[in-house]
Amino acid sequence: NDTDHPLIIKVASIQSARVQVYFIDNDDYFGKRLIERDEAGVEYEDNGERAIFFARGVLETVKKLRWVPDIIHCQGWMSGVVPFYIKTAYSDEPSFAETKVVTSLYNKSIEKDFGSDFKQFMEFRDAKPELLTDYKDTFDFDELGKLAIDYSDGVIQAVPDASKVLSDYAAAKNKPLLGYQEDFGDAYEAFYESLYADEAK
């Protein structure tokens, strides 16, 4: 809506792996909160807004840091809006011109829908509500997963009991799909490379 929410970026490093980790933060959406439920097990009413804020925060950070990622791998429902934004609102951004988007599927972790305003809240640049007419008016875990799949270049079953609804949906959409891999390092790398190999053919 018309409310401004400040984006806080925090940086940490894992010395042994020589990796920097960036955290997206905001006191209203993330301060003193758990992931999707409060301490009493009640899902947050603003989970949909939190996902949108997270998606835009991450993508704006990538732009600001002038990164040009080859792969953006989306993990969990909180990143479900990211593929949609990359392929619509950020499609003309040089940072994402060649980026492939991969979504990992998990088991169902939220039960409530995101409310009737979620589609309007998602509107940003070319990410228009009319692009969402094929989805239910009230987005829930499955609908958000379908959106992520539709705008991803590849899909990975991250856990053995990943949502069958979403796995079947990805298969029906003929998305490149990698089944669950217990030893995933090499398998994920090969899957990433295959997404670019398919384009080169």
Side-chain angles (χ1 to χ4, degrees):
N1 52 25
D2 294 327
T3 307
D4 289 331
H5 296 276
L7 171 65
I8 302 164
I9 303 167
K10 299 178 180 179
V11 186
S13 57
I14 303 171
Q15 298 291 346
S16 60
R18 296 182 183 172
V19 171
Q20 280 192 312
V21 182
Y22 290 76
F23 296 89
I24 298 300
D25 202 2
N26 171 271
D27 289 340
D28 296 327
Y29 286 136
F30 305 114
K32 298 179 182 175
R33 291 207 202 185
L34 302 176
I35 297 176
E36 62 256 335
R37 292 175 174 79
D38 62 22
E39 290 83 354
V42 178
E43 291 180 18
Y44 299 117
E45 293 294 329
D46 60 354
N47 273 342
E49 289 180 47
R50 295 169 75 219
I52 292 169
F53 181 88
F54 176 77
R56 287 182 56 182
V58 166
L59 297 175
E60 288 296 331
T61 301
V62 170
K63 272 179 55 185
K64 282 266 191 262
L65 296 175
R66 291 190 170 91
W67 290 342
V68 183
D70 294 319
I71 298 283
I72 293 182
H73 192 152
C74 302
Q75 305 267 357
W77 67 268
M78 184 74 77
S79 65
V81 183
V82 171
F84 175 62
Y85 278 156
I86 290 173
K87 302 295 185 178
T88 58
Y90 290 85
S91 62
D92 292 333
E93 295 287 350
S95 287
F96 307 108
E98 304 295 327
T99 302
K100 297 295 184 185
V101 184
V102 175
T103 289
S104 276
L105 303 182
Y106 291 86
N107 48 8
K108 193 169 186 175
S109 57
I110 50 177
E111 299 296 332
K112 288 184 179 179
D113 64 56
F114 296 144
S116 57
D117 294 330
F118 186 68
K119 284 184 178 181
Q120 282 68 43
F121 286 164
M122 271 200 287
E123 184 172 5
F124 177 61
R125 296 181 181 164
D126 291 334
K128 304 290 187 186
E130 49 264 34
L131 296 174
L132 306 171
T133 53
D134 290 340
Y135 304 94
K136 292 179 188 173
D137 287 335
T138 51
F139 266 68
D140 57 11
F141 178 86
D142 288 337
E143 215 63 11
L144 186 62
K146 290 174 183 177
L147 177 73
I149 290 166
D150 286 338
Y151 287 89
S152 291
D153 299 291
V155 179
I156 293 175
Q157 184 181 338
V159 292
D161 59 344
S163 166
K164 188 171 187 317
V165 169
L166 296 180
S167 296
D168 290 349
Y169 184 83
K173 291 284 185 170
N174 292 318
K175 292 286 178 174
L177 178 62
L178 179 66
Y180 172 69
Q181 305 287 317
E182 189 169 344
D183 185 14
F184 61 85
D186 290 341
Y188 280 22
E189 186 175 348
F191 185 69
Y192 296 156
E193 289 174 358
S194 74
L195 298 178
Y196 282 95
D198 290 343
E199 190 178 75
K201 289 178 183 177

